[in-house]
Amino acid sequence: MKTEILRALKKRPYGQVLTVPMIVLATYILLALAAPVIAPQNPYDPLQIYGWEASSSPGTPGSGGYLYLLGTDGLGRDILSTILYGLRISLVVSITSAAIAALIGLTAGVSAAYFGSWVDSAIMRLVDLQLSLPTILVALIAIVTLGPGIDRIILALIIAQWATYARLVRSVALSETNKSYMDAARLMRLPTSRIIFRHLLPNSIAPAVTLIPIEIGHAVALEATLSFLGLGVPIDKPSLGSAVANGFQYLLTGQYWTSLFPGLALFGLIASINFVGEDVRRHLDPRSRPV
Amino acid sequence: MTCETATPPLLQVRNLSLRHLSASGPITILQNVSFELGRGEIVGIIGESGAGKSTLGNAVLGLLAPEFQRTSGSIELDGRPIDPMGGDGDAIWGRRISAIFQDHTASLDPLMSVGAQVQETILAIDASVPRQEARARAVALLARVGIPQPERRYGNYPHQFSGGQRQRAVIAIALAGSPDIIIADEPTSALDATVQKQILKLLRTLVDDTGISIVLVTHDMGVVSEITDRVLVMRKGRVVEQDRTAVILDAPANNYTRSLLAAVPRLRLSATAGKGQANGNASISTNVGEGNTMLLVAKSVSKTFVRQGFVWNSSRNKAIFALRDVSIKLPRGTITGIVGESGSGKTTLGRIIAGLDRAPAGSVTIDGTQFDVSKNGRRSGLLSRVQMIFQDPAVSLNPRMSVGETLRESIRFGASLHPKEGPADAATMMDRLGLARSLIDRHPHQLSGGQKQRICIARALLAKPQIIIADEPTSALDVSVQAEIIQLLKDSITTQHMTMVFISHDLAVVQQLCSSLYIFKDGQVEDFGSSDFVFSQSKNPYTRALIDARPSRFTC
């Protein structure tokens, strides 16, 4: 897989490896990693928040000895710091959920294709059931039944996403199962697990891998939506989505900054992930390669 | 009559050089190719894969992709240059030059009746033709290409036609614009031998009756020998030899042409003296019950596929026999051939014996042990007693495993049934099969087709099976490689006293390799016996038809 990605990168037209979305995304990730160091304030620490400076406009000097570059929210938290810390939550939630969902989906899809008959029916009916409900509804149901919390959000996102991987991988694995090398593997009397994980899975995985970045983008958006609806992460640890939601009620009073800046940050993050995901898909998908 | 000699030939290709602009730099595809095509002539272009023969055909058709670039030369039709990139568009395409391709299924629209497709082409070429007349012409064309009852079959869809009839319909479409030239790119490669013969005959008749000209692109010397007037032999983008067909076949000047001809397997119809196996049928049938000379006995194996109707007419479910009451025996230490056309059930039987597929009825006995073929492979216990070599080496190796990993897996798991013989060595096996040891770290995409098939053979042998089933192991390979693989199979089977089933549609290859054979037709054994008996004495009409379908040039 690694060599393939490298080869795909090298094959870029004009020898260009980095694109603007890639640079933007890398910057986002660096900022998220460095948040505790570079953020002027720890928005999760009540001792660092000066409540009387709530709803300061951007550029106001704060009591902590730094400027509120992007202003503060209704609780007095520095918006810039909230964004940097929120970024961490958004990224962790979306990447973890997409990765686990991919793992579950891949295993389910490949097993359905390999075993066929009732295993296939059982898994795929579950997938149908899952895909027939809107993703946001599935996530909502999960959150409502499981209760709030970052781990629950991740679980809800996994439940909402695994089916997409399963369906995609199953269709690829089905056509792989009919190839002669799979027959050869059966004739060798290989253990079933070896046939699945050594032969079938590595050859069925490519389209699903290209789906991962795109699904991470979806997960960020979905988490933001859930948080915006108040069903996501706890209010004292805002993600980007809940930061937007926190400021939403002040928008009409002219305090645009509390919602606008986290919103822009969220927009930039989702857009860059989607662009990079699309890039990766185009380079890994053999069908989109020039003949 | 000087003005006569000055008349340009119908089609003239002069010093044509083409290159393909790929990411890794331009690759020369054609180099200084020249040939002429006169009226009423069939010129064959023969070569192995990568020779540039299809590119040449596409250049004449104006179908070259934009990545191609002409570096020199010209293509002239009646003395006027035409654009290989398709710049002349509709003026030439369909009206002066049309095409027939290999895949008759992909050439027809599955959602449109065959007649309507012919009519559509007539209207596309000349919009002023009234619809009724176009229809009448379409019916006439279908009759012309030998479709029986064309008026009645007009409204039928492609799936209601047989493969041969579909290719006839494609020819009718190619004829719709009354072109001067048809480029036929492997027109019979996807067809069974008997049907291939009929289609070739049709092409020859069309040329003789209407004076149309054909460029026939093929890899098959047999096809060339049957109907062409002149032949171009191509290799790596160059024409190595061109001459009248008789000269190419009888006195080829070029070494490559000679090697191509030598690689074509020849069918001998007279029993070779000295072998003394002419007792044929009798010798096999008297062996019933002699378990010790027969390694495998398959009795009354049947398998059906159910064609399901929709929910509301499930009573119309149709059972189609893939195999009906088939019994075969494999004498120990010999190679037995199974011959048949597509759909005759030969591969199905092979897969049942190997334990890959189930059969609801019948039994398989190997070395005295009876196996329940109605159960899945893993439970029937058949798996790994039999190894297979598959038709297409491109999909027979796991693309993500190196050669070494594939071979070691076979030793570790496949040969686990026979631990006493000690582990075989992958490297020694590669030496024996003529594979360089340096290939051991390569992945399949870095290997040629012939190398891949050798690895498949090595994998099968390393698993130490009791029986090897080779299912058309050479039909995806070039002729010269085919001969090597056949020889290799023969050597490794005979030196190790192994037992092999060789499934093929090619009678000559089967004769070269097998001591006895079964001929399958529609899921049943149609004829069987020792090779010598079947080829020289069998009176079975189907066997005779198969033998007659072979190009007479390569039968002696």
Side-chain angles (χ1 to χ4, degrees):
Chain A
M1 208 65 241
K2 201 175 69 195
T3 54
E4 247 168 63
I5 292 174
L6 279 178
R7 211 183 311 139
L9 285 176
K10 279 184 196 143
K11 249 199 265 169
R12 292 191 65 87
Y14 323 117
Q16 168 192 11
V17 174
L18 289 174
T19 60
V20 174
M22 278 188 191
I23 296 169
V24 173
L25 183 58
T27 314
Y28 265 113
I29 293 173
L30 282 179
L31 286 177
L33 288 174
V37 185
I38 57 169
Q41 184 192 69
N42 180 354
Y44 303 159
D45 181 1
L47 296 177
Q48 292 188 30
I49 298 168
Y50 309 100
W52 62 88
E53 284 168 358
S55 306
S56 311
S57 58
T60 316
S63 319
Y66 47 84
L67 282 180
Y68 293 126
L69 269 182
L70 303 178
T72 60
D73 66 6
L75 298 170
R77 291 180 294 202
D78 176 35
I79 297 287
L80 178 63
S81 306
T82 316
I83 290 175
L84 290 173
Y85 275 82
L87 208 51
R88 289 162 76 89
I89 296 178
S90 292
L91 281 174
V92 165
V93 166
S94 56
I95 292 175
T96 318
S97 65
I100 299 177
L103 213 63
I104 296 175
L106 287 175
T107 315
V110 168
S111 309
Y114 180 76
F115 292 108
S117 71
W118 67 268
V119 181
D120 188 23
S121 304
I123 294 176
M124 291 327 284
R125 291 306 76 75
L126 208 59
V127 166
D128 288 345
L129 188 71
Q130 164 81 76
L131 291 177
S132 62
L133 295 169
T135 323
I136 182 77
L137 192 61
V138 175
L140 271 175
I141 295 170
I143 290 285
V144 169
T145 45
L146 298 171
I150 290 183
D151 48 343
R152 315 294 165 80
I153 285 259
I154 292 176
L155 196 59
L157 290 179
I158 293 171
I159 294 173
Q161 288 184 318
W162 73 278
T164 321
Y165 293 99
R167 197 174 55 169
L168 181 65
V169 168
R170 174 182 174 267
S171 67
V172 182
L174 266 184
S175 70
E176 289 294 319
T177 325
N178 290 327
K179 291 192 178 163
S180 308
Y181 73 87
M182 286 294 294
D183 284 336
R186 275 185 219 120
L187 286 173
M188 293 293 159
R189 254 177 123 90
L190 300 185
T192 308
S193 62
R194 191 178 167 91
I195 295 185
I196 291 182
F197 290 108
R198 194 86 175 83
H199 291 273
L200 189 52
L201 190 61
N203 289 298
S204 316
I205 211 171
V209 168
T210 65
L211 193 64
I212 291 178
I214 294 166
E215 286 295 307
I216 293 178
H218 284 168
V220 174
L222 198 56
E223 181 273 325
T225 315
L226 287 174
S227 299
F228 182 82
L229 293 173
L231 289 158
V233 295
I235 191 127
D236 57 327
K237 288 192 175 167
S239 70
L240 287 178
S242 45
V244 175
N246 286 344
F248 180 62
Q249 48 197 311
Y250 303 107
L251 264 185
L252 292 178
T253 63
Q255 295 172 23
Y256 62 90
W257 57 87
T258 38
S259 262
L260 180 69
F261 293 120
L264 284 177
L266 186 61
F267 165 75
L269 178 64
I270 296 176
S272 63
I273 292 178
N274 281 350
F275 280 126
V276 171
E278 181 61 25
D279 250 16
V280 172
R281 189 196 62 75
R282 214 170 356 175
H283 285 292
L284 287 184
D285 188 352
R287 277 166 301 183
S288 63
R289 261 177 224 159
V291 185
Chain B
M1 299 299 278
T2 44
C3 61
E4 276 267 328
T5 52
T7 315
L10 179 59
L11 178 77
Q12 179 155 42
V13 175
R14 250 188 236 152
N15 287 327
L16 185 68
S17 299
L18 286 174
R19 56 185 191 174
H20 185 261
L21 306 172
S22 68
S24 50
I27 304 161
T28 305
I29 306 287
L30 292 181
Q31 218 168 353
N32 289 327
V33 173
S34 303
F35 77 96
E36 283 177 15
L37 177 71
R39 271 177 211 283
E41 196 178 31
I42 304 184
V43 169
I45 301 179
I46 190 164
E48 298 189 296
S49 50
K53 51 191 196 302
S54 286
T55 309
L56 180 55
N58 286 343
V60 175
L61 284 167
L63 284 180
L64 289 184
E67 296 92 49
F68 283 93
Q69 192 184 46
R70 176 167 50 162
T71 47
S72 78
S74 63
I75 303 173
E76 288 168 18
L77 183 65
D78 280 337
R80 268 187 303 264
I82 56 175
D83 181 8
M85 313 303 292
D88 301 299
D90 294 346
I92 305 264
W93 167 251
R95 292 178 170 80
R96 302 292 315 273
I97 307 177
S98 65
I100 308 167
F101 296 106
Q102 173 175 355
D103 188 347
H104 46 77
T105 311
S107 300
L108 293 170
D109 181 347
L111 295 179
M112 195 171 174
S113 80
V114 169
Q117 294 185 49
V118 183
Q119 184 194 28
E120 183 191 44
T121 315
I122 294 170
L123 290 172
I125 284 165
D126 186 357
S128 66
V129 180
R131 293 196 74 83
Q132 272 312 308
E133 197 196 321
R135 191 193 147 97
R137 277 199 218 168
V139 172
L141 274 173
L142 290 176
R144 180 81 240 253
V145 296
I147 289 180
Q149 297 180 283
E151 187 63 48
R152 199 178 61 82
R153 306 286 321 259
Y154 187 90
N156 284 9
Y157 288 85
H159 71 269
Q160 295 166 303
F161 280 60
S162 71
Q165 286 173 334
R166 276 201 288 266
Q167 195 61 300
R168 284 173 194 272
V170 172
I171 295 174
I173 291 173
L175 290 173
S178 348
D180 298 309
I181 301 171
I182 292 182
I183 311 288
D185 193 346
E186 304 273 6
T188 57
S189 304
L191 301 172
D192 283 329
T194 46
V195 184
Q196 164 168 331
K197 186 109 175 175
Q198 295 161 7
I199 296 288
L200 291 178
K201 209 177 274 174
L202 170 67
L203 290 178
R204 186 74 244 184
T205 321
L206 285 174
V207 168
D208 293 342
D209 293 357
T210 62
I212 201 171
S213 306
I214 294 180
V215 176
L216 187 73
V217 176
T218 181
H219 69 281
D220 189 343
M221 267 298 176
V223 169
V224 163
S225 73
E226 291 277 294
I227 63 166
T228 59
D229 299 305
R230 282 189 305 120
V231 185
L232 255 75
V233 183
M234 289 190 68
R235 186 189 195 188
K236 293 178 184 162
R238 293 166 182 273
V239 176
V240 297
E241 186 172 5
Q242 63 174 311
D243 215 321
R244 285 184 296 112
T245 305
V247 178
I248 294 279
L249 293 175
D250 293 327
N254 185 281
N255 275 335
Y256 179 67
T257 314
R258 259 181 243 136
S259 70
L260 271 187
L261 278 168
V264 180
R266 282 166 169 73
L267 187 67
R268 293 182 313 273
L269 291 184
S270 50
T272 36
K275 275 197 176 177
Q277 288 180 330
N279 43 354
N281 258 343
S283 79
I284 283 194
S285 47
T286 51
N287 275 338
V288 178
E290 289 180 29
N292 52 340
T293 60
M294 293 297 161
L295 179 59
L296 177 139
V297 180
K299 265 195 200 129
S300 311
V301 178
S302 294
K303 187 175 175 73
T304 50
F305 291 111
V306 179
R307 178 182 286 172
Q308 292 206 325
F310 262 125
V311 182
W312 56 86
N313 57 2
S314 53
S315 58
R316 280 206 219 155
N317 283 0
K318 254 194 198 162
I320 298 161
F321 276 95
L323 287 176
R324 194 193 294 239
D325 213 11
V326 168
S327 303
I328 69 162
K329 299 189 190 73
L330 306 182
R332 206 179 287 273
T334 62
I335 304 178
T336 303
I338 296 182
V339 183
E341 305 199 310
S342 51
S344 62
K346 53 191 195 303
T347 297
T348 311
L349 181 68
R351 292 177 61 87
I352 289 170
I353 294 176
L356 286 174
D357 282 347
R358 282 187 280 184
S363 72
V364 170
T365 312
I366 297 180
D367 221 359
T369 319
Q370 186 166 340
F371 296 94
D372 185 357
V373 285
S374 64
K375 281 192 184 141
N376 239 343
R378 215 169 270 274
R379 269 177 284 166
S380 75
L382 266 172
L383 282 180
S384 93
R385 287 171 188 276
V386 181
Q387 291 296 335
M388 284 184 81
I389 298 162
F390 300 93
Q391 174 170 2
D392 187 357
V395 294
S396 306
L397 295 170
N398 183 341
R400 294 197 187 275
M401 277 166 73
S402 73
V403 170
E405 287 172 310
T406 298
L407 295 183
R408 279 192 293 273
E409 186 179 67
S410 175
I411 296 168
R412 185 172 148 210
F413 292 93
S416 56
L417 273 186
H418 323 275
K420 58 174 191 282
E421 290 170 37
D425 179 17
T428 326
M429 181 59 80
M430 289 178 71
D431 290 345
R432 257 188 21 222
L433 296 187
L435 287 159
R437 284 192 184 197
S438 57
L439 296 180
I440 202 151
D441 292 320
R442 298 265 185 95
H443 281 76
H445 70 269
Q446 300 165 304
L447 302 171
S448 71
Q451 284 172 331
K452 274 183 248 186
Q453 198 60 301
R454 280 165 204 256
I455 307 274
C456 292
I457 296 174
R459 173 177 63 189
L461 289 173
L462 283 171
K464 299 195 174 143
Q466 288 171 290
I467 297 167
I468 286 188
I469 299 177
D471 187 1
E472 305 252 15
T474 58
S475 47
L477 303 172
D478 277 329
V479 210
S480 55
V481 186
Q482 272 181 29
E484 287 168 21
I485 296 287
I486 299 278
Q487 194 54 43
L488 191 67
L489 274 174
K490 190 170 187 169
D491 293 346
S492 29
I493 299 296
T494 44
T495 53
Q496 296 192 47
H497 307 289
M498 291 196 56
T499 307
M500 181 161 90
V501 180
F502 188 84
I503 298 173
S504 178
H505 66 278
D506 190 337
L507 291 173
V509 173
V510 168
Q511 185 183 41
Q512 253 180 39
L513 208 53
C514 307
S515 51
S516 59
L517 79 157
Y518 291 83
I519 292 183
F520 275 39
K521 190 191 178 211
D522 302 331
Q524 284 175 298
V525 176
E526 180 76 24
D527 196 6
F528 67 100
S530 74
S531 280
D532 284 345
F533 171 81
V534 170
F535 290 116
S536 56
Q537 293 171 40
S538 174
K539 299 268 185 314
N540 185 297
Y542 184 66
T543 308
R544 297 323 308 175
L546 278 183
I547 292 173
D548 289 341
R550 288 206 30 103
S552 45
R553 170 69 224 218
F554 297 103
T555 306
C556 47

